[in-house]
Amino acid sequence: MSEQTLSKTTLTETKNASVEIHGLSRAFDGRTVIDALDLTIEQGEFVALLGQSGCGKSTLLRILAGLDDEISGQVTVPSRRSAAFQSPRLMPWLKVWRNVVLGLPGKPDRALATRYLAEVGIDQRAGVWPKTLSGGEAQRVSLARALVREPELLLLDEPFGALDALTRVKAQRLVGELWQRHGCSILLVTHDVEESLLLADRVLVMDAGGIAHEVTVDLPRPRDIGSPEFVAMRTQLLAWLGVHDAATNAAPNVDGNAAA
């Protein structure tokens, strides 16, 4: 696997991990957002990243995507990586299929675009303008654009945040299916605890510029949100995030049980 470093350190190669981060720090106007962070994401692993607004989640994703290089520390990532964001960011003056292959070398290939649009169930809309798409359709196009690059690392920054509840559930299922089909590593930044547990192998909670907590989600797929194990993990994560757990109608304690 070819890799590149985003920091000004010696190129690091590894056979056992998709992402290696050592001592990563990032500050804005003297305010440290990421502080000496260490993290490994294995090849093919699905990792979800939770945390309160401003904790550095999206900053970390932007660094991994190569959109922010004002850092210290060492970050090694696959050279083949792509990202999808909460806003699909489609070019309105290009037809849907041209948005999918935008930026790829060579002549725009409609057949290639249509193949990936078919993967996300929207190939019948290949020839329309982006303005005619619904929010869910536009997000599917964004996913197709990310997948057409055949990434070894797929970075997702709140990709379902603007969708209605039903469309969001469908999009979550689609991402899970695509991950299993392609076998790439995924880092999902989200505020949705339930979403993270439904999709990820491992859920991280970011706080004070680092990874404060993590949960390994070793539940069988598809996951049952009503199972005792799922509820316990959700309660634990909400406790770490300092959020009231409406499912138990009580404030959770750090052991994942409702406080008396």
Side-chain angles (χ1 to χ4, degrees):
M1 178 177 65
S2 59
E3 298 171 344
Q4 65 185 56
T5 181
L6 301 181
S7 62
K8 298 177 181 179
T9 58
T10 304
L11 178 67
T12 302
E13 296 184 357
T14 174
K15 297 180 180 179
N16 299 319
S18 177
V19 175
E20 288 279 0
I21 302 173
H22 300 289
L24 172 64
S25 295
R26 177 66 164 104
F28 295 91
D29 298 324
R31 183 176 70 91
T32 299
V33 176
I34 299 177
D35 186 13
L37 183 146
D38 295 323
L39 176 63
T40 298
I41 299 176
E42 302 294 339
Q43 293 179 10
E45 185 180 20
F46 197 133
V47 175
L49 183 60
L50 297 168
Q52 298 185 9
S53 296
C55 72
K57 303 187 304 298
S58 292
T59 298
L60 175 60
L61 185 139
R62 286 176 57 81
I63 290 169
L64 295 179
L67 301 175
D68 183 351
D69 60 2
E70 297 296 318
I71 63 172
S72 61
Q74 181 173 298
V75 179
T76 304
V77 294
S79 57
R80 292 203 335 258
R81 62 194 188 280
S82 56
F85 301 90
Q86 181 172 341
S87 171
R89 303 183 181 185
L90 304 181
M91 303 297 105
W93 55 86
L94 296 176
K95 295 288 183 72
V96 161
W97 75 267
R98 289 185 178 274
N99 267 280
V100 171
V101 294
L102 180 65
L104 291 181
K107 184 178 178 180
D109 186 339
R110 180 163 183 164
L112 177 66
T114 302
R115 176 156 63 90
Y116 280 89
L117 286 168
E119 271 213 75
V120 299
I122 198 173
D123 51 309
Q124 72 280 6
R125 306 284 276 160
V128 306
W129 298 105
K131 67 179 181 180
T132 69
L133 301 175
S134 68
E137 288 174 333
Q139 199 56 263
R140 286 172 182 256
V141 175
S142 177
L143 286 171
R145 183 176 56 193
L147 290 171
V148 76
R149 287 152 175 77
E150 298 183 350
E152 294 174 296
L153 174 64
L154 178 59
L155 302 161
L156 302 175
D157 191 2
E158 293 280 355
F160 319 123
L163 304 180
D164 63 81
L166 181 59
T167 305
R168 185 178 184 123
V169 169
K170 292 179 179 178
Q172 290 169 350
R173 290 175 180 172
L174 174 62
V175 166
E177 292 168 1
L178 292 171
W179 166 65
Q180 292 182 328
R181 189 181 307 155
H182 287 269
C184 57
S185 302
I186 293 182
L187 177 64
L188 168 67
V189 169
T190 180
H191 283 97
D192 190 326
V193 170
E194 196 166 280
E195 176 175 278
S196 69
L197 290 172
L198 282 170
L199 292 172
D201 297 317
R202 188 162 47 115
V203 181
L204 311 176
V205 178
M206 194 167 181
D207 186 37
I211 305 302
H213 309 282
E214 73 172 71
V215 170
T216 298
V217 189
D218 53 0
L219 302 177
R221 301 172 187 270
R223 290 169 178 162
D224 178 6
I225 63 174
S227 72
E229 296 84 2
F230 191 100
V231 172
M233 289 183 184
R234 180 178 61 203
T235 303
Q236 179 71 88
L237 288 168
L238 288 170
W240 285 333
L241 292 165
V243 178
H244 178 83
D245 188 356
T248 61
N249 199 31
N253 63 26
V254 293
D255 295 320
N257 302 309

